[in-house]
Amino acid sequence: MDFKTMLPFVAFLCVLLISSSDAEQQKPSSFLSNYSSYKNICHKIGWEPKCRTESTKDCKGKTIAFHAILSTGLTNVSPNTIIKFGKVLVNEESGYNPSTGKFTAPLDGVYSFSWTYCTNKGSNAYLGGYVDGKLMARISNYAQTNHWKNTSGHLVIRLKKGNQFWVQTFEHTAQLIHEEFTFLSGYKVSGC
């Protein structure tokens, strides 16, 4: 092995040995300033992720999230009925409207929604996740054999500002949906 081939390996090994012995002796504040310095060097030579090109001024620091529970039990809920979760525990940026049962996206982005409902023995219940009137996720219980059962749905989807999400019955009448164990949650996953 010639000198030119070995030089990068030896240099890397020296840097590795020096940095590992220094890391044990550094104070937290000096470690952070050194890290910042390394980050700046990487930036100057172009070694950084290039994942964001658009402005984030409209969403910086905003949390978009909600969690609501069914406030009263429902019986004989006909198909195409929007479920209105009336007991709102969290509603950051006020996207969820308990009087309509709909979440309206305040910003563009990827959102995650989950819903759980509780039914009793013999029940049929089909509850879907809808975006602007289109059924996007289906979950169901048919001729349930357990005394009580929770069923959950989940949807991750990209929404534009103003798009709406809600949970609605479809195909069959839901005989009983228990209030204390039935909820809807959602939050914005991505940046702007």
Side-chain angles (χ1 to χ4, degrees):
M1 188 180 271
D2 67 349
F3 180 72
K4 283 186 176 182
T5 308
M6 252 174 71
L7 184 60
F9 175 73
V10 171
F12 175 74
L13 189 59
C14 289
V15 168
L16 186 66
L17 290 172
I18 290 169
S19 64
S20 67
S21 65
D22 280 352
E24 293 173 3
Q25 298 169 4
Q26 286 185 0
K27 295 179 183 172
S29 60
S30 64
F31 172 78
L32 289 175
S33 66
N34 285 343
Y35 174 75
S36 180
S37 175
Y38 292 132
K39 203 165 133 184
N40 289 335
I41 292 168
C42 290
H43 172 71
K44 287 178 182 174
I45 63 173
W47 289 358
E48 64 181 334
K50 306 228 186 286
C51 60
R52 182 172 304 281
T53 57
E54 69 277 2
S55 171
T56 61
K57 67 178 178 153
D58 292 337
C59 70
K60 197 165 188 122
K62 290 184 181 178
T63 298
I64 299 170
F66 73 96
H67 183 83
I69 300 170
L70 192 64
S71 51
T72 58
L74 304 175
T75 57
N76 298 316
V77 184
S78 61
N80 304 315
T81 300
I82 296 173
I83 307 300
K84 297 172 184 170
F85 299 84
K87 185 178 179 182
V88 179
L89 302 180
V90 174
N91 197 7
E92 298 297 318
E93 294 299 313
S94 303
Y96 179 71
N97 183 338
S99 63
T100 64
K102 294 181 179 182
F103 170 81
T104 303
L107 295 171
D108 292 1
V110 174
Y111 289 81
S112 174
F113 299 99
S114 60
W115 61 101
T116 295
Y117 62 95
C118 182
T119 54
N120 66 346
K121 188 173 186 172
S123 288
N124 298 323
Y126 288 62
L127 271 67
Y130 286 75
V131 174
D132 293 336
K134 184 176 180 187
L135 180 59
M136 303 301 289
R138 303 166 188 251
I139 57 170
S140 66
N141 278 331
Y142 183 78
Q144 179 180 312
T145 57
N146 296 345
H147 186 66
W148 291 102
K149 180 179 179 183
N150 278 16
T151 305
S152 296
H154 188 230
L155 175 66
V156 176
I157 191 164
R158 178 171 295 284
L159 298 178
K160 295 284 188 188
K161 181 178 179 178
N163 287 149
Q164 292 186 312
F165 172 86
W166 64 87
V167 172
Q168 176 178 309
T169 57
F170 66 98
E171 289 189 24
H172 294 278
T173 296
Q175 286 81 15
L176 176 92
I177 302 175
H178 194 284
E179 71 274 8
E180 291 180 27
F181 305 97
T182 300
F183 62 86
L184 170 63
S185 297
Y187 59 92
K188 185 170 180 286
V189 176
S190 72
C192 294

